[in-house]
Amino acid sequence: MKQSGCTVFNDRHFSCENCDGCVSGGFDAATSQIVLCQNNIRQQSHMNRVVTHELIHAFDHCRAHVDWFKNVKHLACSEIRAANLSGDCTLMNEIARFKFGLKGHHQTCVRDRAIRSILAVRKVSKETAEKAVDEVFDACFNDLEPFGRIPHSKADARRAYRDFQNRDRYNANL
């Protein structure tokens, strides 16, 4: 976040609150604040995914100046990236949801979760959400910043972080 020009203060940019329904968290673009729904998060692994998901939105807000309220394609792109990079669609999570497949399942999960997220935060039709996701899917699915890879496991996440730490050293040698 800092390298993208945004400073993060844990006491200002994170909030734990009770939330309605089954929402686990959210990103408030007006305050640049991540909200964690303490009444709906019961496991550390779930909280880790929610924080990562919402940090992707915060990163997009900082880096890409997302127009969250007027441009549904911007929202779709950030939701695709968050579902793709946060661990929302790991094989274990999908098995726990009784949804699994082999070929192309990760992409299907990312697409479906992005559509669900758009419908949860915007009053748009399912067709509008699907169209927005489909129009930006390839570009946004392949945008792996700031990780450089899809972290499928803790080991992948550690490698991504190590790559990130060494990024300047690599770029200096080009």
Side-chain angles (χ1 to χ4, degrees):
M1 294 293 289
K2 194 173 189 179
Q3 288 184 340
S4 294
C6 296
T7 306
V8 176
F9 300 102
N10 291 347
D11 58 340
R12 179 185 172 302
H13 291 110
F14 289 87
S15 175
C16 293
E17 301 174 7
N18 286 323
C19 303
D20 295 334
C22 59
V23 176
S24 299
F27 176 69
D28 183 346
T31 61
S32 295
Q33 187 175 61
I34 291 171
V35 176
L36 300 173
C37 299
Q38 62 193 16
N39 58 320
N40 293 330
I41 299 174
R42 300 200 187 342
Q43 296 177 326
Q44 182 68 44
S45 59
H46 183 203
M47 186 180 77
N48 293 348
R49 284 192 312 276
V50 172
V51 169
T52 303
H53 183 108
E54 301 309 333
L55 278 170
I56 295 295
H57 292 319
F59 179 79
D60 289 346
H61 181 71
C62 175
R63 173 186 73 148
H65 308 291
V66 176
D67 185 350
W68 300 99
F69 304 105
K70 295 180 183 169
N71 191 329
V72 72
K73 288 183 189 177
H74 285 193
L75 174 61
C77 188
S78 192
E79 291 297 350
I80 291 165
R81 287 177 26 75
N84 190 26
L85 298 172
S86 68
D88 287 346
C89 291
T90 62
L91 180 61
M92 293 310 294
N93 286 335
E94 284 295 272
I95 289 172
R97 294 178 191 119
F98 300 105
K99 294 183 176 183
F100 40 88
L102 296 175
K103 190 171 182 177
H105 184 76
H106 182 75
Q107 289 88 338
T108 300
C109 173
V110 167
R111 180 184 182 277
D112 292 348
R113 291 190 71 77
I115 291 166
R116 283 183 52 215
S117 292
I118 292 168
L119 294 173
V121 299
R122 292 290 170 271
K123 291 188 187 291
V124 297
S125 68
K126 186 174 182 184
E127 293 75 25
T128 299
E130 288 172 341
K131 183 177 182 215
V133 167
D134 290 342
E135 286 179 6
V136 299
F137 189 84
D138 289 337
C140 299
F141 183 83
N142 290 310
D143 180 356
L144 304 177
E145 289 300 318
F147 301 128
R149 70 178 76 214
I150 299 170
H152 291 290
S153 65
K154 286 182 183 178
D156 275 345
R158 282 192 292 275
R159 280 192 292 274
Y161 182 64
R162 196 170 46 249
D163 291 349
F164 174 77
Q165 288 177 310
N166 294 322
R167 180 181 290 177
D168 291 338
R169 192 175 330 155
Y170 171 78
N171 290 336
N173 292 325
L174 293 180

